[in-house]
Amino acid sequence: MPDRAKVAVLISGSGTNMAALLYASRAEDCPYEIVLVAANDPEAKGLRLAEAEGIATFALSHKGMQRAEHDAAMDAAIRASGAQWVALAGYMRILTEDFVSAWEGRMVNIHPSLLPKYTGLHTHDRAIAAGDSHGGVTVHLVTAELDDGPILGQTPVAIVPGDTAETLAARVLIAEHQLYSRCLARLVSRERDPGWLAERVRERALALPESDEIVSHGMPCFGIIKGKKFAYFTADHHGDGRIALLVKISGVEEQALLIERDEERFFRPAYFGDGWIGIRLDRGTVDWDDVAAWLSRSWRAVAPKRLTALLDAADAF
């Protein structure tokens, strides 16, 4: 299987969700591995478990530190571990906007309610007091708003007569342990999923003026309406095993230079000639701003002057 996605897990206490993620990662087909467990409490019990399981740990008390200073230290430890993703598992700190934005789209959290209900604390008490039929758990991407990011998965848990916050929490915890690893696995796998990657390319290509999409040679193809083509999305085209974006370039010299610079990312697409370059999208991480820039450049190479002149004028402002 491809190299596993590297995940850092942040905890503050016993780390039961961290343990669930860790043990799920031991399955042969799991697409992620835990490379670091970090805590804001050096006495957090989850650190001892991680150490016993051979996982690198980092601990730094937040006491006496500015929030931004502590977040910066945590961020440095995460990056030093080689982690590409961050999973919050009972991390009882509100993160700064700088930290959140640095990991935008790559940091996930688990929350013990059916969001958008009951953000924050005491979720089980509030669900019972409201007379809800179910509590539950939500896994979501982290944004600057507390417990408000895009939802990746939810599991409802029935509230039974006589439930207390403690008894409900115990059942919700079982659901947490099962849901979190599944959602994390789907999240880290999507960057190798042709459907997800194609949609990201499509959004950016069709945002360009007067662009459209057709199917050409069995591939999504993007061009100027009633005009020339500027991009293709390929997934195992002619059995090459690649998921890639094909865009126009200046010619053979630029093609050779790009491939020489990074032969794992760039390649000469079969049957397209020297005026095109292939850009791999299946290497685990994609710089989507860079993809948008390649699409824009390729679009400009084929767009009529009436369109490029408008964009040039807009760029001048």
Side-chain angles (χ1 to χ4, degrees), residues 17-316:
N17 269 308
M18 175 275 294
L21 294 176
L22 171 60
Y23 295 133
S25 76
R26 298 282 167 84
E28 289 186 4
D29 60 349
C30 184
Y32 69 81
E33 63 177 320
I34 307 300
V35 296
L36 178 72
V37 174
N40 64 311
D41 179 1
E43 301 303 316
K45 292 181 180 179
L47 293 171
R48 308 290 85 80
L49 173 61
E51 290 168 355
E53 292 289 355
I55 307 299
T57 61
F58 174 80
L60 179 65
S61 174
H62 62 275
K63 295 178 180 178
M65 296 185 70
Q66 295 290 327
R67 191 176 298 274
E69 181 186 7
H70 187 266
D71 278 6
M74 297 296 283
D75 181 78
I78 293 167
R79 294 185 186 280
S81 75
Q84 305 154 308
W85 304 84
V86 178
L88 306 181
Y91 189 62
M92 305 303 290
R93 295 280 293 164
I94 296 176
L95 298 166
T96 59
E97 288 190 17
D98 285 347
F99 187 95
V100 172
S101 63
W103 290 96
E104 181 180 1
R106 309 188 72 79
M107 181 160 56
V108 64
N109 183 47
I110 188 163
H111 181 74
S113 79
L114 296 174
L115 293 174
K117 283 187 172 182
Y118 314 129
T119 61
L121 301 175
H122 309 298
T123 59
H124 306 307
D125 291 293
R126 292 154 68 189
I128 292 170
D132 291 352
S133 64
H134 287 74
V137 57
T138 302
V139 176
H140 65 96
L141 290 175
V142 177
T143 62
E145 293 295 323
L146 181 66
D147 301 327
D148 192 44
I151 291 172
L152 302 176
Q154 292 185 315
T155 301
V157 175
I159 298 174
V160 301
D163 253 340
T164 64
E166 291 73 23
T167 58
L168 176 58
R171 292 199 307 281
V172 170
L173 190 61
I174 297 170
E176 291 179 29
H177 292 170
Q178 299 196 34
L179 180 67
Y180 207 178
S181 60
R182 293 200 300 269
C183 289
L184 182 60
R186 287 198 300 267
L187 178 65
V188 303
S189 299
R190 70 183 187 182
E191 292 187 347
R192 291 188 175 92
D193 175 61
W196 188 85
L197 291 167
E199 187 56 34
R200 305 287 83 71
V201 169
R202 181 174 293 112
E203 289 172 1
R204 288 156 179 80
L206 295 182
L208 295 165
E210 295 191 20
S211 62
D212 67 355
E213 177 183 356
I214 63 170
V215 175
S216 178
H217 304 288
M219 300 179 288
C221 172
F222 304 95
I224 308 295
I225 296 173
K226 296 182 180 179
K228 296 180 179 179
K229 308 308 177 189
F230 64 88
Y232 291 81
F233 175 85
T234 76
D236 196 30
H237 188 54
H238 291 288
D240 66 4
R242 301 182 178 109
I243 303 173
L245 170 69
L246 310 185
V247 292
K248 293 191 70 66
I249 52 173
S250 59
V252 63
E253 291 185 3
E254 183 180 13
Q255 187 184 78
L257 181 63
L258 289 168
I259 295 171
E260 181 181 358
R261 182 188 304 166
D262 189 347
E263 63 181 7
E264 291 188 2
R265 185 184 183 209
F266 297 104
F267 63 96
R268 186 182 190 276
Y271 311 107
F272 276 79
D274 299 326
W276 293 81
I277 192 71
I279 306 172
R280 295 286 295 268
L281 301 177
D282 54 1
R283 300 165 69 224
T285 57
V286 177
D287 183 340
W288 289 108
D289 289 337
D290 186 60
V291 168
W294 277 107
L295 286 166
S296 179
R297 175 188 162 181
S298 190
W299 177 91
R300 284 177 179 270
V302 303
K305 289 184 177 179
R306 64 179 179 81
L307 292 179
T308 58
L310 289 174
L311 277 191
D312 290 339
D315 290 344

